[in-house]
Amino acid sequence: MRTLRVMTNRRTQFVDVTAAVEKEVKASGITQGVCYLYVPHTTAGILINEHADPDVAADMEAALDRLAPRNGPYRHSEGNSDSHIKAGLAGASQIVFVEGGKLALGRWQGIFFCEFDGPRERSLHVKVVADSAR
Amino acid sequence: MRTLRVMTNRRTQFVDVTAAVEKEVKASGITQGVCYLYVPHTTAGILINEHADPDVAADMEAALDRLAPRNGPYRHSEGNSDSHIKAGLAGASQIVFVEGGKLALGRWQGIFFCEFDGPRERSLHVKVVADSAR
Amino acid sequence: MRTLRVMTNRRTQFVDVTAAVEKEVKASGITQGVCYLYVPHTTAGILINEHADPDVAADMEAALDRLAPRNGPYRHSEGNSDSHIKAGLAGASQIVFVEGGKLALGRWQGIFFCEFDGPRERSLHVKVVADSAR
């Protein structure tokens, strides 16, 4: 398991971490397997979506802010219940296949670290597991 | 990694791919392990839910269309920002255990390829990994 | 694959199963690997989020109940379409890394079995797979 650092600078922000994850896959030397991504935070998540046009990430950020409004009727007193809810909707983990020593992402896909209570310094755990010889 | 073709014929459509995935599991010859499903698209996803009554899938399609309306205030100019948002909510990957050479699905569970910008011809990546002997 | 029993006593209820899953990890004797969690139901899910303050889970339960209202315009005649939709949003599976013989959860993270059509007796499948020696 390796841990990447992710710096965020807005409250809700999708950060494209595709290149950083790809670098970990290359460093692992594994040519065929599964890359597991895990976010150890409760107000951040991880999503795979289009990263060719940055407007897509902007639209997703805004949509999640509408689905979980900051000023809902919440009990949790830290003022970030919406952040926890968005993290739950995005999810804490993702998997991507590794083929030919590279992430087998679709043509338009990128990996986004999803900040929902920034700005902060965050961690992203990455593990690459080789398919067992059979 | 194997790739299944999925044909969709509506804009938002849950396609039951359980039988096709089960066939891949059988073809792998693996009796105990994990089946990984991965959608390489940014306007489609994969979900596990009830497939006994098709009304459940219809209700889920309609619910996602309400959560991410087609005509939101979006920046992305292709007119499918809602499709990207729904794909993010559904998720690009799923795992199912393999036991006794079969998918260990619950009694009412089926696997749905979730089209959010159809109709199209789509891909679904499937990988079956055997538990390592210990 | 092992199966834990989870008793729920409300219609929508996040049940903290962290300790029970940790016990399975310990029992597996695996020091480094991946813990897979799978819910074999169509009106329940699994999520990772803050379990230090129970108000966070309460806020997430309420938020999901607002996103998928009980009395939507639904086709499915069993009166639990909202439960299926919430299960889809939460997801049927999660992964957590195992490091040093323990779940590599973040400081505030706990694992929640998410009941959306309780009260019921439920199952949670757990599988711990060791990283293959290389």
Side-chain angles (χ1 to χ4, degrees), chain A residues 132-134, chain B residues 30-36 97-99 128-134, chain C residues 1 36 127-130 132:
Chain A
S132 52
R134 301 184 47 222
Chain B
I30 289 169
T31 53
Q32 199 173 319
V34 178
C35 175
Y36 299 85
F97 296 150
V98 174
E99 294 282 322
V128 190
V129 176
D131 290 347
S132 52
R134 301 185 49 225
Chain C
M1 183 178 101
Y36 300 85
K127 188 196 277 256
V128 189
V129 177
S132 54

Side-chain angles (χ1 to χ4, degrees), chain C residues 56-127:
Chain C
V56 172
D59 285 341
M60 296 188 70
E61 290 167 5
L64 284 162
D65 283 345
R66 283 192 297 269
L67 289 173
R70 188 160 185 177
N71 301 309
Y74 301 123
R75 286 202 215 170
H76 182 52
S77 59
E78 291 178 24
N80 62 355
S81 281
D82 62 313
S83 315
H84 289 289
I85 294 160
K86 285 168 229 175
L89 293 175
S93 65
Q94 289 288 341
I95 60 127
V96 186
F97 297 150
V98 174
E99 293 282 322
K102 293 168 63 173
L103 291 167
L105 290 164
R107 180 174 180 185
W108 306 105
Q109 286 184 323
I111 302 167
F112 289 99
F113 181 94
C114 308
E115 174 64 80
F116 297 118
D117 195 21
R120 297 215 203 182
E121 187 183 343
R122 298 290 204 171
S123 298
L124 171 61
H125 296 330
V126 182
K127 188 196 277 256

Side-chain angles (χ1 to χ4, degrees), chain A residues 2-6 17 20-22 24 37 122-126:
Chain A
R2 298 257 303 165
T3 300
L4 305 178
R5 293 284 139 192
V6 181
V17 293
V21 175
E22 189 75 84
E24 289 300 318
L37 302 165
R122 298 291 205 170
S123 298
L124 171 62
H125 297 331
V126 182

Side-chain angles (χ1 to χ4, degrees), chain A residues 36 38-39 75-76 81 127, chain C residues 36 49 53 59 106 109 131:
Chain A
Y36 300 85
Y38 186 84
V39 173
R75 284 202 216 172
H76 182 52
S81 281
K127 189 196 276 258
Chain C
Y36 300 85
N49 214 286
D53 176 4
D59 285 341
Q109 286 184 323
D131 291 347

Side-chain angles (χ1 to χ4, degrees), chain A residues 51-78:
Chain A
H51 70 154
D53 176 3
D55 280 350
V56 172
D59 285 342
M60 295 188 73
E61 290 168 4
L64 284 163
D65 283 345
R66 283 192 297 270
L67 289 173
R70 188 161 185 176
N71 301 308
Y74 300 123
R75 284 202 216 172
H76 182 52
S77 58
E78 291 178 23

